[in-house]
Amino acid sequence: MTATVPPVPPTGPIADPAGRVELPPGALPADGRFVNDDLLPVPVSRRRWTTYNFAALWVGMAHNIPSWLLASGLVALGMDWKQAVLTIALANLIVLAPMLLTGHAGPKYGIPFPVLARASFGLRGANLPAMIRAAVACAWFGIQTWIGGQGIFVLLGKLFGGWAEVAKVGGQPWTLWVCFVLFWVLELAIIYRGMEALRRFENWAAPFVIVGALVLLAWIAAKAGGLGPLLDQPSKLGWGADFWPVFFPSLMGMIAFWSTLSLNIPDFTRFGAGQRAQIWGQTLGLPTTMTLFALLSVFVTSGSQAVYGVAVWDPVALAGRTDNVFGLLFALVTVLVATISVNIAANVVSPAYDLANLAPRFVNFRRGALITGVVGVLIMPWKLTATPELYIFTWLGLVGGLLGTVAGILIADYWLVRRTVLDLPALYTPDGRYWYTSGWNLRAVAAFAVGGVLAVGGSHSAPGKGPFPSEGLIPFLRPLADYGWAVGLTASLVLYMALMGTRGSRTPA
């Protein structure tokens, strides 16, 4: 017996055999307060990112200087290389779960993160998580641009000499500021060309950066005659009582490193050819790449210890020790490609969409990207990374806690309240299903507020270092501070479900 398929209304969503939904022309209201071309669902014909595209995206983003330094930071805390790599591998397996869950809406509906957030927070309320994500991305953009500019400065200084012995502006050589500005302009020039240009850039950047890292390993191994003594160094923490108080905060910090993308991954998966592409692409790209990169950084650093008598954790500083002109130029290009690859994808795409969501009539994707670039400089990233305490305890801890809270609400709403079924036209329609109270879902706001306080209320700084008191902002929440991302995600998910019940209306059949 053949099943009959009911006719689809001409103005309603249309689903193809792969379950991808799109809107026919004329299905949305003419009201432009919540719509522009960049926020509309991507047509199915343009959803063509493959498994390789997503894997290449993650390879390109994971291979960058801060990722390289993650393992070194853990070893500095007393872990041996096995414990450091295990911590990084586990953290990326954990953060992969919300990445895949929130990423599901991308290929199915073709919508970016701020539009997905409208289902849970309301058409206006979605600006709350979107602006938090945008602020974090702007800061990360500035940090990565500063790091990239420093890399260019070090390597060009090695090539031409005397770059550091010049007049200083704001406490830094003026040549460093020139490198910073040139790198900033180059990044914005690429992203201004749009998402398709980004896809093409990531496709060749990913293998190029891998080759660059392997060349660095081969070079240092050849000079060392082996990988050096670092791999044999015992853990200062062991596996007992001293290990766990370091392990859990470190695990949360490693999760916080990519907690940003666990929210706005629909900005990329909306271009996916299907769920298989985004699931396999991300699974093959994120945890494997981060783990292998951590191993690679440990191996290279161990070789540097054998050659120079000291462990050189910074790959730019290590490359700068060669006197070979070709080697320096190759290292310079690798640093450029690696930093641009992660910074554009991770820290410009999201705020560009988020700012467009804030004022669709006035801000499109390109204008949002330019605003991100300007704000990323105004936050003065050279100060944010001035001390490890400010960077690790304040920055990563606060970011992880707040973004975990938003992720909990998105996952609860999309998977548990609505069972992945969204009313696509209503995501753009005032007074529709997702209008709630004047455009705000107050239950989502309450879940975010409670989850956020629990996640970051106990945030603290090392004594005398950083803006927070050492006993925590709210002392009795201090024990939760080391688990901020997990606390925020769990608390907001449970509270949102309790507050929403069946009121989310599981949307149209």
Side-chain angles (χ1 to χ4, degrees):
M1 178 177 181
T2 307
T4 1
V5 180
V8 179
T11 57
I14 301 171
D16 70 359
R20 298 176 298 178
V21 179
E22 69 176 341
L23 292 172
L28 293 179
D31 188 328
R33 287 179 295 163
F34 301 100
V35 181
N36 69 20
D37 289 342
D38 295 310
L39 297 176
L40 285 173
V42 174
V44 167
S45 61
R46 288 178 48 211
R47 299 179 206 172
R48 50 177 181 259
W49 283 36
T50 63
T51 298
Y52 175 78
N53 293 140
F54 286 113
L57 176 75
W58 275 113
V59 172
M61 289 197 294
H63 290 90
N64 61 82
I65 297 170
S67 291
W68 184 281
L69 297 174
L70 287 179
S72 65
L74 296 180
V75 171
L77 290 173
M79 294 185 183
D80 63 19
W81 73 272
K82 294 183 290 295
Q83 291 170 331
V85 172
L86 173 65
T87 304
I88 291 171
L90 182 58
N92 283 281
L93 282 172
I94 292 171
V95 82
L96 177 66
M99 204 84 69
L100 296 178
L101 291 174
T102 53
H104 184 278
K108 183 170 184 179
Y109 295 102
I111 54 176
F113 155 66
V115 174
L116 173 62
R118 292 175 180 179
S120 50
F121 282 86
L123 267 71
R124 287 177 173 155
N127 287 315
L128 172 63
M131 287 301 99
I132 291 172
R133 174 64 184 94
V136 170
C138 288
W140 269 123
F141 174 80
I143 290 170
Q144 288 275 11
T145 303
W146 181 249
I147 289 172
Q150 284 180 315
I152 298 169
F153 171 77
V154 169
L155 294 173
L156 285 181
K158 183 72 175 171
L159 280 172
F160 299 112
W163 270 47
E165 288 75 42
V166 295
K168 293 192 174 182
V169 177
Q172 303 287 353
W174 69 263
T175 45
L176 175 55
W177 292 112
V178 169
C179 292
F180 173 65
V181 171
L182 289 176
F183 190 63
W184 176 77
V185 170
L186 178 61
E187 290 176 311
L188 292 186
I190 293 174
I191 195 61
Y192 193 76
R193 297 178 63 85
M195 287 295 291
E196 187 61 21
L198 174 63
R199 181 180 72 89
R200 291 194 299 268
F201 177 80
E202 295 290 350
N203 282 347
W204 69 263
F208 180 85
V209 174
I210 292 175
V211 170
L214 292 174
V215 167
L216 189 60
L217 174 62
W219 169 70
I220 198 67
K223 289 182 72 71
L227 289 175
L230 189 63
L231 300 184
D232 298 326
Q233 288 187 356
S235 169
K236 297 175 184 175
L237 305 173
W239 291 94
D242 293 335
F243 175 71
W244 302 110
V246 175
F247 169 76
F248 284 110
S250 299
L251 183 69
M252 292 300 108
M254 297 305 105
I255 290 172
F257 193 78
W258 288 124
S259 63
T260 49
L261 268 293
S262 68
L263 294 188
N264 75 286
I265 195 65
D267 293 343
F268 300 95
T269 60
R270 68 193 295 229
F271 296 96
Q275 296 300 339
R276 182 186 296 272
Q278 74 101 2
I279 290 171
W280 279 108
Q282 294 203 79
T283 303
L284 294 172
L286 172 58
T288 54
T289 300
M290 286 295 292
T291 303
L292 290 173
F293 205 53
L295 274 170
L296 193 59
S297 71
V298 170
F299 290 157
V300 171
T301 305
S302 69
S304 72
Q305 181 168 312
V307 174
Y308 302 109
V310 60
V312 184
W313 288 104
D314 186 342
V316 174
L318 182 58
R321 289 180 177 250
T322 181
D323 293 320
N324 183 285
V325 174
F326 175 78
L328 284 168
L329 288 173
F330 183 79
L332 176 62
V333 174
T334 303
V335 167
L336 277 170
V337 172
T339 308
I340 290 174
S341 180
V342 63
N343 212 17
I344 292 176
N347 303 319
V348 177
V349 172
S350 174
Y353 284 125
D354 296 337
L355 291 165
N357 187 70
L358 182 65
R361 289 179 178 175
F362 307 105
V363 182
N364 58 19
F365 180 82
R366 287 183 170 87
R367 287 175 186 164
L370 294 176
I371 293 170
T372 300
V374 172
V375 174
V377 174
L378 294 179
I379 57 110
M380 296 186 287
W382 47 92
K383 292 187 179 293
L384 196 58
T385 56
T387 66
E389 289 78 18
L390 182 61
Y391 178 64
I392 295 173
F393 292 109
T394 303
W395 175 243
L396 283 180
L398 191 66
V399 165
L402 290 178
L403 297 186
T405 302
V406 175
I409 294 170
L410 292 183
I411 292 168
D413 184 81
Y414 183 69
W415 285 95
L416 303 177
V417 173
R418 308 190 193 281
R419 308 293 172 89
T420 77
V421 180
L422 297 176
D423 183 344
L424 200 51
L427 290 171
Y428 301 88
T429 309
D431 302 319
R433 184 186 300 272
Y434 306 121
W435 189 242
Y436 299 107
T437 305
S438 299
W440 288 79
N441 183 1
L442 300 181
R443 298 178 185 88
V445 174
F448 172 77
V450 173
V453 169
L454 292 175
V456 304
S459 297
H460 63 102
S461 300
K465 297 177 179 179
F468 296 157
S470 57
E471 69 276 9
L473 288 171
I474 305 175
F476 73 89
L477 293 178
R478 171 69 188 86
L480 300 181
D482 291 340
Y483 313 94
W485 181 83
V487 168
L489 186 143
T490 305
S492 63
L493 186 150
V494 171
L495 183 56
Y496 184 81
M497 286 299 299
L499 292 175
M500 286 296 286
T502 57
R503 297 184 192 184
S505 66
R506 305 198 191 228
T507 56

